[in-house]
mmCIF file with all atom_site columns, all heavy atoms in Angstrom:
data_model
loop_
_atom_site.group_PDB
_atom_site.id
_atom_site.type_symbol
_atom_site.label_atom_id
_atom_site.label_alt_id
_atom_site.label_comp_id
_atom_site.label_asym_id
_atom_site.label_entity_id
_atom_site.label_seq_id
_atom_site.pdbx_PDB_ins_code
_atom_site.Cartn_x
_atom_site.Cartn_y
_atom_site.Cartn_z
_atom_site.occupancy
_atom_site.B_iso_or_equiv
_atom_site.pdbx_formal_charge
_atom_site.auth_seq_id
_atom_site.auth_comp_id
_atom_site.auth_asym_id
_atom_site.auth_atom_id
_atom_site.pdbx_PDB_model_num
ATOM 1   N N   . CYS A 1 18 ? -11.805 -1.158  -23.258 1.00 0.00 ? 28 CYS A N   1
ATOM 2   C CA  . CYS A 1 18 ? -13.254 -0.969  -23.158 1.00 0.00 ? 28 CYS A CA  1
ATOM 3   C C   . CYS A 1 18 ? -13.975 -2.228  -22.678 1.00 0.00 ? 28 CYS A C   1
ATOM 4   O O   . CYS A 1 18 ? -15.056 -2.142  -22.098 1.00 0.00 ? 28 CYS A O   1
ATOM 5   C CB  . CYS A 1 18 ? -13.824 -0.508  -24.492 1.00 0.00 ? 28 CYS A CB  1
ATOM 6   S SG  . CYS A 1 18 ? -13.514 -1.622  -25.875 1.00 0.00 ? 28 CYS A SG  1
ATOM 7   N N   . ASP A 1 19 ? -13.384 -3.403  -22.907 1.00 0.00 ? 29 ASP A N   1
ATOM 8   C CA  . ASP A 1 19 ? -14.002 -4.647  -22.437 1.00 0.00 ? 29 ASP A CA  1
ATOM 9   C C   . ASP A 1 19 ? -13.478 -5.055  -21.062 1.00 0.00 ? 29 ASP A C   1
ATOM 10  O O   . ASP A 1 19 ? -13.634 -6.190  -20.645 1.00 0.00 ? 29 ASP A O   1
ATOM 11  C CB  . ASP A 1 19 ? -13.761 -5.774  -23.438 1.00 0.00 ? 29 ASP A CB  1
ATOM 12  C CG  . ASP A 1 19 ? -12.271 -6.072  -23.621 1.00 0.00 ? 29 ASP A CG  1
ATOM 13  O OD1 . ASP A 1 19 ? -11.440 -5.313  -23.077 1.00 0.00 ? 29 ASP A OD1 1
ATOM 14  O OD2 . ASP A 1 19 ? -11.947 -7.058  -24.299 1.00 0.00 ? 29 ASP A OD2 1
ATOM 15  N N   . MET A 1 20 ? -12.832 -4.084  -20.342 1.00 0.00 ? 30 MET A N   1
ATOM 16  C CA  . MET A 1 20 ? -12.299 -4.272  -18.998 1.00 0.00 ? 30 MET A CA  1
ATOM 17  C C   . MET A 1 20 ? -11.084 -5.199  -18.953 1.00 0.00 ? 30 MET A C   1
ATOM 18  O O   . MET A 1 20 ? -10.718 -5.694  -17.897 1.00 0.00 ? 30 MET A O   1
ATOM 19  C CB  . MET A 1 20 ? -13.377 -4.798  -18.036 1.00 0.00 ? 30 MET A CB  1
ATOM 20  C CG  . MET A 1 20 ? -14.592 -3.908  -17.926 1.00 0.00 ? 30 MET A CG  1
ATOM 21  S SD  . MET A 1 20 ? -14.179 -2.229  -17.372 1.00 0.00 ? 30 MET A SD  1
ATOM 22  C CE  . MET A 1 20 ? -13.806 -2.524  -15.654 1.00 0.00 ? 30 MET A CE  1
ATOM 23  N N   . THR A 1 21 ? -10.450 -5.409  -20.111 1.00 0.00 ? 31 THR A N   1
ATOM 24  C CA  . THR A 1 21 ? -9.209  -6.174  -20.145 1.00 0.00 ? 31 THR A CA  1
ATOM 25  C C   . THR A 1 21 ? -8.062  -5.284  -19.679 1.00 0.00 ? 31 THR A C   1
ATOM 26  O O   . THR A 1 21 ? -7.940  -4.140  -20.109 1.00 0.00 ? 31 THR A O   1
ATOM 27  C CB  . THR A 1 21 ? -8.904  -6.680  -21.561 1.00 0.00 ? 31 THR A CB  1
ATOM 28  O OG1 . THR A 1 21 ? -9.957  -7.537  -21.992 1.00 0.00 ? 31 THR A OG1 1
ATOM 29  C CG2 . THR A 1 21 ? -7.579  -7.451  -21.593 1.00 0.00 ? 31 THR A CG2 1
ATOM 30  N N   . LEU A 1 22 ? -7.229  -5.815  -18.795 1.00 0.00 ? 32 LEU A N   1
ATOM 31  C CA  . LEU A 1 22 ? -6.097  -5.056  -18.259 1.00 0.00 ? 32 LEU A CA  1
ATOM 32  C C   . LEU A 1 22 ? -4.810  -5.402  -18.994 1.00 0.00 ? 32 LEU A C   1
ATOM 33  O O   . LEU A 1 22 ? -4.555  -6.568  -19.298 1.00 0.00 ? 32 LEU A O   1
ATOM 34  C CB  . LEU A 1 22 ? -5.915  -5.353  -16.772 1.00 0.00 ? 32 LEU A CB  1
ATOM 35  C CG  . LEU A 1 22 ? -6.946  -4.759  -15.810 1.00 0.00 ? 32 LEU A CG  1
ATOM 36  C CD1 . LEU A 1 22 ? -6.705  -5.288  -14.409 1.00 0.00 ? 32 LEU A CD1 1
ATOM 37  C CD2 . LEU A 1 22 ? -6.873  -3.251  -15.814 1.00 0.00 ? 32 LEU A CD2 1
ATOM 38  N N   . ASN A 1 23 ? -4.024  -4.381  -19.281 1.00 0.00 ? 33 ASN A N   1
ATOM 39  C CA  . ASN A 1 23 ? -2.707  -4.575  -19.874 1.00 0.00 ? 33 ASN A CA  1
ATOM 40  C C   . ASN A 1 23 ? -1.693  -3.769  -19.078 1.00 0.00 ? 33 ASN A C   1
ATOM 41  O O   . ASN A 1 23 ? -1.971  -2.642  -18.659 1.00 0.00 ? 33 ASN A O   1
ATOM 42  C CB  . ASN A 1 23 ? -2.691  -4.108  -21.330 1.00 0.00 ? 33 ASN A CB  1
ATOM 43  C CG  . ASN A 1 23 ? -3.538  -4.997  -22.224 1.00 0.00 ? 33 ASN A CG  1
ATOM 44  O OD1 . ASN A 1 23 ? -3.215  -6.147  -22.459 1.00 0.00 ? 33 ASN A OD1 1
ATOM 45  N ND2 . ASN A 1 23 ? -4.639  -4.450  -22.711 1.00 0.00 ? 33 ASN A ND2 1
ATOM 46  N N   . ILE A 1 24 ? -0.527  -4.342  -18.863 1.00 0.00 ? 34 ILE A N   1
ATOM 47  C CA  . ILE A 1 24 ? 0.557   -3.644  -18.180 1.00 0.00 ? 34 ILE A CA  1
ATOM 48  C C   . ILE A 1 24 ? 1.505   -3.090  -19.232 1.00 0.00 ? 34 ILE A C   1
ATOM 49  O O   . ILE A 1 24 ? 1.913   -3.796  -20.153 1.00 0.00 ? 34 ILE A O   1
ATOM 50  C CB  . ILE A 1 24 ? 1.310   -4.589  -17.230 1.00 0.00 ? 34 ILE A CB  1
ATOM 51  C CG1 . ILE A 1 24 ? 0.354   -5.165  -16.181 1.00 0.00 ? 34 ILE A CG1 1
ATOM 52  C CG2 . ILE A 1 24 ? 2.462   -3.863  -16.542 1.00 0.00 ? 34 ILE A CG2 1
ATOM 53  C CD1 . ILE A 1 24 ? 0.994   -6.207  -15.279 1.00 0.00 ? 34 ILE A CD1 1
ATOM 54  N N   . SER A 1 25 ? 1.875   -1.832  -19.087 1.00 0.00 ? 35 SER A N   1
ATOM 55  C CA  . SER A 1 25 ? 2.745   -1.182  -20.069 1.00 0.00 ? 35 SER A CA  1
ATOM 56  C C   . SER A 1 25 ? 4.050   -0.724  -19.421 1.00 0.00 ? 35 SER A C   1
ATOM 57  O O   . SER A 1 25 ? 4.232   -0.833  -18.210 1.00 0.00 ? 35 SER A O   1
ATOM 58  C CB  . SER A 1 25 ? 2.030   0.020   -20.686 1.00 0.00 ? 35 SER A CB  1
ATOM 59  O OG  . SER A 1 25 ? 1.793   1.021   -19.704 1.00 0.00 ? 35 SER A OG  1
ATOM 60  N N   . ASP A 1 26 ? 4.951   -0.192  -20.236 1.00 0.00 ? 36 ASP A N   1
ATOM 61  C CA  . ASP A 1 26 ? 6.227   0.394   -19.821 1.00 0.00 ? 36 ASP A CA  1
ATOM 62  C C   . ASP A 1 26 ? 7.110   -0.613  -19.081 1.00 0.00 ? 36 ASP A C   1
ATOM 63  O O   . ASP A 1 26 ? 7.257   -0.578  -17.861 1.00 0.00 ? 36 ASP A O   1
ATOM 64  C CB  . ASP A 1 26 ? 6.001   1.629   -18.949 1.00 0.00 ? 36 ASP A CB  1
ATOM 65  C CG  . ASP A 1 26 ? 7.294   2.418   -18.743 1.00 0.00 ? 36 ASP A CG  1
ATOM 66  O OD1 . ASP A 1 26 ? 8.338   1.998   -19.295 1.00 0.00 ? 36 ASP A OD1 1
ATOM 67  O OD2 . ASP A 1 26 ? 7.264   3.435   -18.027 1.00 0.00 ? 36 ASP A OD2 1
ATOM 68  N N   . PHE A 1 27 ? 7.725   -1.490  -19.850 1.00 0.00 ? 37 PHE A N   1
ATOM 69  C CA  . PHE A 1 27 ? 8.638   -2.473  -19.275 1.00 0.00 ? 37 PHE A CA  1
ATOM 70  C C   . PHE A 1 27 ? 10.098  -2.021  -19.397 1.00 0.00 ? 37 PHE A C   1
ATOM 71  O O   . PHE A 1 27 ? 11.010  -2.837  -19.370 1.00 0.00 ? 37 PHE A O   1
ATOM 72  C CB  . PHE A 1 27 ? 8.455   -3.821  -19.977 1.00 0.00 ? 37 PHE A CB  1
ATOM 73  C CG  . PHE A 1 27 ? 7.224   -4.566  -19.521 1.00 0.00 ? 37 PHE A CG  1
ATOM 74  C CD1 . PHE A 1 27 ? 5.975   -4.233  -20.015 1.00 0.00 ? 37 PHE A CD1 1
ATOM 75  C CD2 . PHE A 1 27 ? 7.326   -5.581  -18.579 1.00 0.00 ? 37 PHE A CD2 1
ATOM 76  C CE1 . PHE A 1 27 ? 4.834   -4.904  -19.590 1.00 0.00 ? 37 PHE A CE1 1
ATOM 77  C CE2 . PHE A 1 27 ? 6.190   -6.267  -18.149 1.00 0.00 ? 37 PHE A CE2 1
ATOM 78  C CZ  . PHE A 1 27 ? 4.944   -5.933  -18.648 1.00 0.00 ? 37 PHE A CZ  1
ATOM 79  N N   . GLY A 1 28 ? 10.305  -0.710  -19.515 1.00 0.00 ? 38 GLY A N   1
ATOM 80  C CA  . GLY A 1 28 ? 11.659  -0.190  -19.682 1.00 0.00 ? 38 GLY A CA  1
ATOM 81  C C   . GLY A 1 28 ? 12.563  -0.454  -18.498 1.00 0.00 ? 38 GLY A C   1
ATOM 82  O O   . GLY A 1 28 ? 13.791  -0.521  -18.650 1.00 0.00 ? 38 GLY A O   1
ATOM 83  N N   . SER A 1 29 ? 11.988  -0.574  -17.307 1.00 0.00 ? 39 SER A N   1
ATOM 84  C CA  . SER A 1 29 ? 12.799  -0.820  -16.116 1.00 0.00 ? 39 SER A CA  1
ATOM 85  C C   . SER A 1 29 ? 12.673  -2.257  -15.613 1.00 0.00 ? 39 SER A C   1
ATOM 86  O O   . SER A 1 29 ? 13.171  -2.589  -14.538 1.00 0.00 ? 39 SER A O   1
ATOM 87  C CB  . SER A 1 29 ? 12.387  0.148   -14.993 1.00 0.00 ? 39 SER A CB  1
ATOM 88  O OG  . SER A 1 29 ? 11.022  -0.026  -14.658 1.00 0.00 ? 39 SER A OG  1
ATOM 89  N N   . ALA A 1 30 ? 12.028  -3.118  -16.387 1.00 0.00 ? 40 ALA A N   1
ATOM 90  C CA  . ALA A 1 30 ? 11.794  -4.500  -15.962 1.00 0.00 ? 40 ALA A CA  1
ATOM 91  C C   . ALA A 1 30 ? 13.082  -5.313  -15.958 1.00 0.00 ? 40 ALA A C   1
ATOM 92  O O   . ALA A 1 30 ? 14.012  -5.041  -16.721 1.00 0.00 ? 40 ALA A O   1
ATOM 93  C CB  . ALA A 1 30 ? 10.773  -5.163  -16.874 1.00 0.00 ? 40 ALA A CB  1
ATOM 94  N N   . LYS A 1 31 ? 13.123  -6.298  -15.052 1.00 0.00 ? 41 LYS A N   1
ATOM 95  C CA  . LYS A 1 31 ? 14.240  -7.224  -14.960 1.00 0.00 ? 41 LYS A CA  1
ATOM 96  C C   . LYS A 1 31 ? 13.703  -8.648  -14.986 1.00 0.00 ? 41 LYS A C   1
ATOM 97  O O   . LYS A 1 31 ? 12.537  -8.899  -14.656 1.00 0.00 ? 41 LYS A O   1
ATOM 98  C CB  . LYS A 1 31 ? 15.019  -7.007  -13.661 1.00 0.00 ? 41 LYS A CB  1
ATOM 99  C CG  . LYS A 1 31 ? 15.759  -5.679  -13.584 1.00 0.00 ? 41 LYS A CG  1
ATOM 100 C CD  . LYS A 1 31 ? 16.970  -5.658  -14.491 1.00 0.00 ? 41 LYS A CD  1
ATOM 101 C CE  . LYS A 1 31 ? 17.798  -4.405  -14.286 1.00 0.00 ? 41 LYS A CE  1
ATOM 102 N NZ  . LYS A 1 31 ? 19.006  -4.384  -15.141 1.00 0.00 ? 41 LYS A NZ  1
ATOM 103 N N   . THR A 1 32 ? 14.546  -9.589  -15.391 1.00 0.00 ? 42 THR A N   1
ATOM 104 C CA  . THR A 1 32 ? 14.146  -10.995 -15.399 1.00 0.00 ? 42 THR A CA  1
ATOM 105 C C   . THR A 1 32 ? 14.884  -11.759 -14.308 1.00 0.00 ? 42 THR A C   1
ATOM 106 O O   . THR A 1 32 ? 16.011  -11.416 -13.943 1.00 0.00 ? 42 THR A O   1
ATOM 107 C CB  . THR A 1 32 ? 14.442  -11.653 -16.763 1.00 0.00 ? 42 THR A CB  1
ATOM 108 O OG1 . THR A 1 32 ? 15.834  -11.532 -17.049 1.00 0.00 ? 42 THR A OG1 1
ATOM 109 C CG2 . THR A 1 32 ? 13.627  -10.982 -17.856 1.00 0.00 ? 42 THR A CG2 1
#
Side-chain angles (χ1 to χ4, degrees):
C28 58
D29 61 353
M30 302 302 287
T31 299
L32 287 173
N33 292 292
I34 301 175
S35 65
D36 192 1
F37 283 80
S39 60
K41 292 287 187 179
T42 58

